[in-house]
Amino acid sequence: MAADEPLVLGIETSCDETGVGIVRGTTLLADAVASSVDTHARFGGVVPEIASRAHLEAMVPTIERALKEAGVSARDLDGIAVTSGPGLAGALLVGVSAAKAYAYALGKPLYGVNHLASHICVDQLEHGPLPEPTMALLVSGGHSSLLLAPDITSDVRPLGATIDDAAGEAFDKIARVLNLGFPGGPVIDRLAKEGDPTSIAFPRGLTGPRDAPYDFSFSGLKTSVARWIEARRAAGEEVPVRDVAASFQEAVVDVLTRKAVRACKDEGVDHLMIGGGVAANSRLRALAEERCERAGVRLRVPRPGLCTDNGAMVAALGAEMVARNRRPSDLELSADSSLPVTEPHVPGAHQQHTHDHVHEISKDNLYS
Ligand code: KG4
Ligand code: ZN
C-alpha cells in the first residue's frame, strides 16, 4: 500500500444498509455496516421510511466506527464519496446530505458515485486493479444487468438488463411464497444445498432463439414456481421445500451464467466479474466457475461481504475517481433515485473543487 495512494471515505445508503468504508487506493482499511434489515423483516420487504430513519440514526456512529477501525483521522482524507443513485430517494438523501456536510466541514472534495459502478469496482479491493474492459454481471435485489465497462470511472455500457423482476427480488418473492422470511436469498441458498436441482423443470426466461441475448426475465419463473406450489397445497400434498428451492435457484443461475459467458465470448472479453447481493449465492459462484473455465474466461467474484451493499465499494470507486483525476461533484449534488448506469459519477459544473472554493459556497447549498 503506497502512502501516496488516495485515502477515501465512502458512504452508502441506497437501501437498508448504512455502509461506511475507508480505502487507500485499492486497499481496504475499514468496512463498517449497520443494517436495518431486521426491522424490515416483519413487513416482508424494505420499508423506505424506516430505512431512511435508520440511516439517520446510524450515520455518525458508523462514520466514527470506520475512522477508528482504519486508524485514520478525517483530516487526512483525500475525498469523500457517496452513492448518489440509483436507490430509494429518501434513503439516498441521508447519505448525500451527510457526505456534503463532512466535505464542507473538512474542506474535502466530494464524489457522488453510481451504486452499480461501485458494485463492480469493489472487486479491486480483493483481486487488485480491474482489467479493462471488464464484463460485469450485476445481480441484486434491485438490479440484474450485464455491463461492459471499458473504464469504471467514465465508461460503463449496458448490454442487457432484466425486463421485469431483479434476480434478488425473485429469490425474495419465492422465499415469501415458501414462508421462509426475508431476505430470501440466503435461506434459499442454504436449503437448496439439500435439494435436487433437477427435480422440477422450471422455465428459463428469455432463452429462445429470438429473445434478446443479454436481457433477463424472472417474472414467468416466479409465477411458474408459485403455481407449482399452489397446486401441491390445493391437492393437500406436502411441498418439497428443498427441491423447490434447488430447482428454482438452478433456473435463475443457469440463465445468468449462460448469458454472462455468452456476452464475454461475443465481446471478446476474457474475464467476468460478478457483483451485487445475489453474487453471494454459492450455486451461482460454482456454476459460473465451471462455465467460465470451460469458455476460457477468468472469473472474479468478491467475497460475499463485499457483494452485498457496503460503504467500501463506494470508497473504492471514489479512490479510483481521485486517482484518475475525475472532476469532483459540487455541493449542489442531489440524490438521484434513477441515476443511469451510464453515469459512474456526477461531476460538478466547476472545474476544481478546492478548499477555497468550498468556502465560497453558501451554506444553503448543503440542504439543496
Ligand atoms: O446488493 P444487495 O445487498 O442490495 C441491493 O442493492 O438490492 O442485494 C440484496 C439481494 C436480496 O434480494 C437478497 O435476497 C439477495 O441479494 N441475496 C442472495 C443471497 N444473499 C443475498 N440471493 C441469493 N443467494 C444468496 N446467498
Ligand atoms: Zn446493491
Side-chain angles (χ1 to χ4, degrees):
M1 175 171 69
D4 58 350
E5 286 182 303
L7 181 68
V8 173
L9 178 140
I11 299 175
E12 154 62 36
T13 63
S14 70
C15 194
D16 59 343
E17 260 101 26
T18 312
V20 180
I22 298 176
V23 308
R24 188 183 290 282
T26 58
T27 305
L28 177 62
L29 301 184
D31 182 16
V33 179
S35 176
S36 62
V37 68
D38 295 344
T39 331
H40 305 288
R42 68 193 175 101
F43 300 102
V46 176
V47 183
E49 289 75 10
I50 294 178
S52 305
R53 178 165 291 269
H55 286 312
L56 205 53
E57 285 166 2
M59 183 54 64
V60 174
T62 312
I63 289 179
E64 284 172 357
R65 188 149 59 89
L67 286 167
K68 198 166 164 213
E69 196 181 313
V72 299
S73 152
R75 282 188 309 274
D76 301 332
L77 295 169
D78 296 306
I80 305 223
V82 61
T83 305
S84 59
L88 302 170
L92 289 166
L93 199 58
V94 178
V96 169
S97 306
K100 286 197 225 180
Y102 276 87
Y104 177 77
L106 296 163
K108 305 289 181 188
L110 171 73
Y111 296 85
V113 302
N114 190 302
H115 182 78
L116 301 180
S118 301
H119 266 305
I120 301 174
C121 199
V122 72
D123 194 47
Q124 300 208 131
L125 303 178
E126 185 143 346
H127 298 115
L130 281 170
E132 293 181 325
T134 280
M135 183 66 71
L137 170 67
L138 275 197
V139 273
S140 72
H143 306 272
S144 298
S145 335
L146 258 174
L147 305 167
L148 181 65
D151 178 340
I152 194 61
T153 62
S154 67
D155 188 4
V156 178
R157 304 172 195 175
L159 297 184
T162 179
I163 59 165
D164 39 55
D165 293 344
E169 210 177 340
F171 273 92
D172 294 337
K173 286 179 178 168
I174 294 305
R176 195 181 312 163
V177 178
L178 290 169
N179 300 317
L180 298 174
F182 173 84
V187 56
I188 289 186
D189 191 352
R190 187 160 40 79
L191 291 172
K193 289 196 174 99
E194 296 156 21
D196 176 3
T198 62
S199 58
I200 313 157
F202 288 129
R204 269 61 172 161
L206 290 186
T207 49
R210 275 188 293 280
D211 288 324
Y214 309 132
D215 281 342
F216 304 105
S217 168
F218 298 109
S219 91
L221 168 65
K222 185 187 67 191
T223 309
S224 168
V225 177
R227 288 224 178 101
W228 195 94
I229 294 168
E230 273 162 30
R232 286 292 167 299
R233 284 181 182 151
E237 291 171 25
E238 206 181 313
V239 176
V241 176
R242 288 170 174 75
D243 287 345
V244 171
S247 301
F248 157 74
Q249 176 178 274
E250 196 66 17
V252 175
V253 307
D254 176 23
V255 177
L256 291 176
T257 53
R258 214 189 300 176
K259 294 202 174 204
V261 171
R262 175 173 174 176
C264 289
K265 281 191 188 160
D266 290 354
E267 297 289 332
V269 175
D270 63 1
H271 50 263
L272 171 69
M273 183 273 160
I274 308 186
V278 181
N281 185 271
S282 59
R283 180 61 187 147
L284 175 61
R285 298 167 90 98
L287 191 60
E289 190 72 64
E290 201 179 303
R291 290 186 167 166
C292 281
E293 199 179 324
R294 217 178 305 145
V297 170
R298 276 201 51 207
L299 180 66
R300 292 171 59 124
V301 194
R303 63 177 177 269
L306 291 179
C307 286
T308 46
D309 290 349
N310 61 79
M313 66 191 213
V314 180
L317 184 54
E320 203 55 50
M321 294 291 170
V322 177
R324 297 193 185 209
N325 261 323
R326 299 290 173 231
R327 193 189 304 166
S329 307
D330 290 331
L331 283 183
E332 284 86 348
L333 177 72
S334 55
D336 180 352
S337 59
S338 53
L339 184 68
V341 66
T342 47
E343 293 174 26
H345 94 297
V346 185
H350 306 277
Q351 203 50 43
Q352 199 51 50
H353 201 159
T354 61
H355 193 87
D356 288 348
H357 168 71
V358 169
H359 286 283
E360 278 166 22
I361 293 176
S362 127
K363 265 197 172 124
D364 294 344
N365 289 330
L366 273 175
Y367 307 106
S368 66

